[in-house]
Amino acid sequence: MADGQDPRKLVEVSGLKMHFPIYAGILRKQVGTVKAVDDVTFDIYEGETLGLVGESGCGKSTAGRAILRLYDPTSGSIVIDGKEIAHLEGEALRNLRPTMQMIFQDPQASLNPRMTVGSIIAEPLLEHHAMKPKDRRARVLELMDAVGLNREFASRYPHEFSGGQRQRIGIARALALNPKFIVCDEPIAALDVSIQAQVVNLLEDLQEQFGLTYLFISHDLSMVRHLATRVAVMYLGKIVELAPRDALYADPKHPYTQALLSAVPNPDPDSVPQNRIILNGDVPSPTNPPKGCNFCTRCPKVMDICREKDPAWLDLGQGRYAACHLLEDA
Amino acid sequence: MPDGSEPILDVHDLKTIFRTRDGEVHAVNSVSFSIRPGELLGVVGESGSGKSVTMMSLMGLLPSPPAEVVRGDIRYQGHDVRAMSEAQLRKLRGGDIGFVFQDPMTSLNPVFTVGYQLVEPLRIHLKLSKRAASVRAAELLALVGIPDAAKRLGDFPHQFSGGMRQRVMIAIALACDPKVLIADEPTTALDVTIQAQIIELIKDLRQKLGMAIVWITHDLGVIAEIADRVLVMYGGQIVEHAPVRELFRNPQHPYTRALLETIPRVDGARDARLRSISGQPPSLAAHPASCPFAARCPHAFERCLAENPARRLVSPGHDVACFWDFATGGAHHG
């Protein structure tokens, strides 16, 4: 990082692979694998927001879930707060859950419709802390204040709330155990524009207040530009570029990042881009990724070597990394 | 743009109510607009602002009950659409007026092949023979940029990706050479790189076919790129209407202004903090007696709570439903 003192690495992910087997036939024989996340390496520094962007199906959500051990990763290492958790099991893993939490995309689906808001927020406390009911109640109300929910709504049910308020409930629940690290999986994708800004501002306030570290997964490049400290771009299970925010948006190095940024419509009728990069075709299937570079089927700058050899993960200096054959000689 | 020509679709004072068990929902209130041939009209608003319901009301696509179009004059090429029989309406829908819906997975029938679904409107509306229809279907798929078009006619919707499915939807909507295409959030479910492809496609088709397009979206970026004129909807009403440049340069409604300020961008200066519109959209339980935005508006004053502002002209082609006048920084008199 640029500023003087060395910030601590809170999350270190290296060589993470998450492959899902495909079974078919009467004998349920394995006929293939979906390489949802394929050899991903990155670190997240304490107090920063790492934006993870990419199109649907690129494996960004799977990566986020695997890091929190909601899946059992195929291989690789995940170190959170100094502890290797990639292959922990049972009680040992459970004891670490309070440090890492998640905010889900769809607040409708991630809140139990039969539980009151108060009991939803209290549930992690009930599971992980031995607290007196009175203290727990007080903590729930404190959390509701923190996320801007009216205390009087504690005995209401999720369906009585609007989308933005439901997302606040999900955020309060994630905060309940004083986590250090929160994975935000598209937390604003289901919300209206005017409500998105409210939730994003809340996330920023909470980060400052509680010193949180976020992995912010999103497909919304403009929102990630607003929120993230550094940004990682994923394509078909791999990270193709990782850079500090301003550098990435000002000067994207990887052809996929360039295409992605140029595809974002700008809310200004006078600055319609003249040389927009339109990618052809669709993302290939992760069951059968192309030989060589994963992006070679759509890349406007494709070369022969791209169809042969997987590009290496290059350190471009100043905290920038990319995987592209074009950048190799430079 | 063929300026000054007769509007192909003219809507005046449309009002739609849903009668539900929990009472009435006034989803569309006194909406008036028109669109000329070859024009692209953008409609922006948040969910629940009535933009989809307006378009569905036009063509009688809403189930009744609970929905009821209680008022309004809808004219297509001068003909009164509300007075049409079901048979005439059916001829209009899919024939002269094409629809593209938001989610291509739920609007295509999963048990029929794409070819069948493309041929169906051609056989019904254009009375083509089976063979002619399937030739035309292949042409249409090729037109929207699906490779190997003739071969893919036998495929089912699940064999296409999201972007390809949306192309199929557009092909079906275009099947009978519609004069008006109504696209309801056609790119919202798609990724940005695919969205860019669809937008290019629509621009291209518009030039080739010269139809009028109504493009409903909540994405102001998309609007800036393709629209000629824009309607901004809020709480079931049109709050501002202007040519696209004028709207982005000189927004006159506090809601439009707030909306333009809340969206972050991928270029230019980055604000330390996003500006948000506090509060929630209004409930639409009754006919609005006050301005629907008053509760969230920084400029609201007594009159806004007592009276629903009518649309007033700001400059030629630009009108706004607001009592506040940004030019003078005070209440508008009149």
Side-chain angles (χ1 to χ4, degrees), chain B residues 119-297:
Chain B
V119 163
E120 194 183 18
L122 294 167
R123 303 259 295 152
I124 294 172
H125 289 294
L126 300 183
K127 308 269 186 298
L128 292 183
S129 71
K130 259 188 176 162
R131 179 163 306 157
S134 78
V135 169
R136 170 90 176 123
E139 277 173 21
L140 283 164
L141 277 194
L143 178 74
V144 295
I146 292 180
D148 269 342
K151 249 165 65 190
R152 301 221 62 180
L153 285 177
D155 284 354
F156 288 90
H158 73 267
Q159 291 168 294
F160 289 82
S161 68
M164 285 296 166
R165 262 181 236 139
Q166 196 56 288
R167 284 166 190 258
V168 171
M169 280 302 296
I170 294 172
I172 294 175
L174 295 178
C176 305
D177 283 329
K179 299 197 173 63
V180 180
L181 180 71
I182 297 178
D184 187 356
E185 307 249 11
T187 59
T188 305
L190 306 175
D191 285 311
V192 274
T193 60
I194 310 294
Q195 169 172 289
Q197 290 175 4
I198 299 283
I199 289 176
E200 283 306 305
L201 172 71
I202 292 281
K203 278 184 185 165
D204 186 45
L205 290 176
R206 190 179 153 207
Q207 237 160 28
K208 274 189 205 153
L209 310 174
M211 61 200 158
I213 301 175
V214 179
W215 188 291
I216 303 172
T217 181
H218 64 268
D219 188 335
L220 284 161
V222 173
I223 287 288
E225 212 159 280
I226 55 166
D228 300 317
R229 273 190 305 139
V230 188
L231 298 176
V232 182
M233 289 192 71
Y234 187 83
Q237 308 185 12
I238 294 175
V239 294
E240 187 158 7
H241 162 228
V244 67
R245 271 205 173 70
E246 171 80 2
L247 187 90
F248 281 83
R249 289 281 160 268
N250 188 20
Q252 288 299 311
H253 198 281
Y255 175 65
T256 317
R257 291 200 165 202
L259 211 53
L260 285 169
E261 281 171 2
T262 54
I263 36 175
R265 306 172 46 141
V266 288
D267 63 359
R270 181 181 155 274
D271 291 333
R273 203 171 163 79
L274 286 182
R275 263 178 247 185
S276 65
I277 310 176
S278 59
Q280 301 289 334
S283 88
L284 302 167
H287 187 78
S290 62
C291 171
F293 190 59
R296 304 172 82 184
C297 180

Side-chain angles (χ1 to χ4, degrees), chain A:
Chain A
M1 300 258 302
D3 46 306
Q5 82 257 64
D6 228 12
R8 198 166 70 99
K9 286 176 184 171
L10 186 72
V11 180
E12 293 167 68
V13 178
S14 72
L16 180 68
K17 287 188 185 174
M18 188 65 234
H19 294 179
F20 297 97
I22 308 169
Y23 299 106
I26 301 175
L27 299 172
R28 312 310 293 162
K29 254 175 63 180
Q30 187 177 343
V31 294
T33 39
V34 178
K35 297 178 176 170
V37 177
D38 201 19
D39 202 358
V40 160
T41 302
F42 61 87
D43 301 323
I44 306 176
Y45 295 97
E46 193 158 29
E48 81 165 347
T49 303
L50 180 72
L52 186 58
V53 297
E55 296 177 90
S56 47
C58 73
K60 53 190 194 302
S61 288
T62 308
R65 285 163 173 254
I67 291 167
L68 290 189
R69 284 301 311 280
L70 301 181
Y71 296 131
D72 290 328
T74 313
S75 67
S77 115
I78 304 160
V79 178
I80 294 185
D81 203 15
K83 293 192 189 71
E84 168 66 52
I85 64 158
H87 300 289
L88 281 185
E89 271 174 30
E91 200 59 25
L93 180 61
R94 205 180 129 79
N95 287 337
L96 292 175
R97 291 267 181 229
T99 41
M100 45 188 195
Q101 290 290 319
M102 185 153 187
I103 298 168
F104 296 92
Q105 168 169 9
D106 186 349
Q108 174 88 56
S110 60
L111 302 176
N112 188 337
R114 295 176 175 229
M115 286 167 75
T116 62
V117 168
S119 50
I120 288 172
I121 302 174
E123 203 180 19
L125 298 168
L126 210 60
E127 289 288 324
H128 287 279
H129 288 320
M131 273 176 130
K132 285 199 194 115
K134 211 180 101 203
D135 297 343
R136 193 158 56 230
R137 177 93 192 147
R139 174 73 178 139
V140 167
L141 294 179
E142 192 185 305
L143 285 163
M144 290 183 73
D145 289 344
V147 298
L149 281 172
N150 192 331
R151 280 173 173 237
E152 282 157 29
F153 295 165
S155 52
R156 293 199 186 180
Y157 289 89
H159 75 267
E160 297 173 76
F161 293 87
S162 67
Q165 283 174 314
R166 276 191 213 129
Q167 201 53 286
R168 286 173 195 264
I169 301 170
I171 294 171
R173 176 177 61 184
L175 288 176
L177 296 170
N178 285 322
K180 289 182 174 158
F181 175 53
I182 299 183
V183 172
C184 311
D185 187 4
E186 303 257 18
I188 53 166
L191 306 176
D192 271 318
V193 200
S194 72
I195 309 296
Q196 281 185 355
Q198 292 177 10
V199 173
V200 164
N201 284 341
L202 173 68
L203 286 172
E204 285 187 311
D205 290 345
L206 294 171
Q207 180 168 42
E208 202 168 308
Q209 200 177 341
F210 300 111
L212 299 168
T213 305
Y214 292 140
L215 176 65
F216 190 86
I217 301 170
S218 180
H219 67 273
D220 184 339
L221 288 145
S222 30
M223 204 52 98
V224 167
R225 176 168 182 257
H226 176 78
L227 252 159
T229 325
R230 292 185 306 143
V231 182
V233 182
M234 244 181 124
Y235 184 78
L236 204 60
K238 289 185 192 291
I239 292 185
V240 297
E241 184 164 1
L242 173 67
R245 176 195 61 226
D246 291 338
L248 184 101
Y249 282 87
D251 178 25
K253 296 287 188 199
H254 196 283
Y256 177 62
T257 317
Q258 291 166 0
L260 202 58
L261 285 176
S262 96
V264 179
N266 220 343
D268 183 353
D270 288 325
S271 76
V272 173
Q274 299 304 311
N275 46 355
R276 166 164 288 170
I277 308 164
I278 303 279
L279 291 179
N280 290 319
D282 283 308
V283 186
S285 152
T287 49
N288 186 20
K291 193 171 178 257
C293 174
N294 273 351
F295 189 50
C296 72
T297 54
R298 297 173 83 195
C299 183
K301 297 174 181 171
V302 66
M303 304 176 294
D304 289 337
I305 187 173
C306 306
R307 297 200 179 87
E308 295 296 322
K309 220 178 110 203
D310 206 4
W313 185 235
L314 302 170
D315 186 346
L316 306 173
Q318 291 166 331
R320 306 197 63 162
Y321 300 88
C324 181
H325 288 297
L326 281 170
L327 304 167
E328 261 162 20
D329 351 309

Side-chain angles (χ1 to χ4, degrees), chain B residues 10 24 51 59 76 95 97:
Chain B
D10 198 355
E24 293 179 345
K51 48 197 197 307
M59 292 299 116
Y76 173 73
I97 299 181

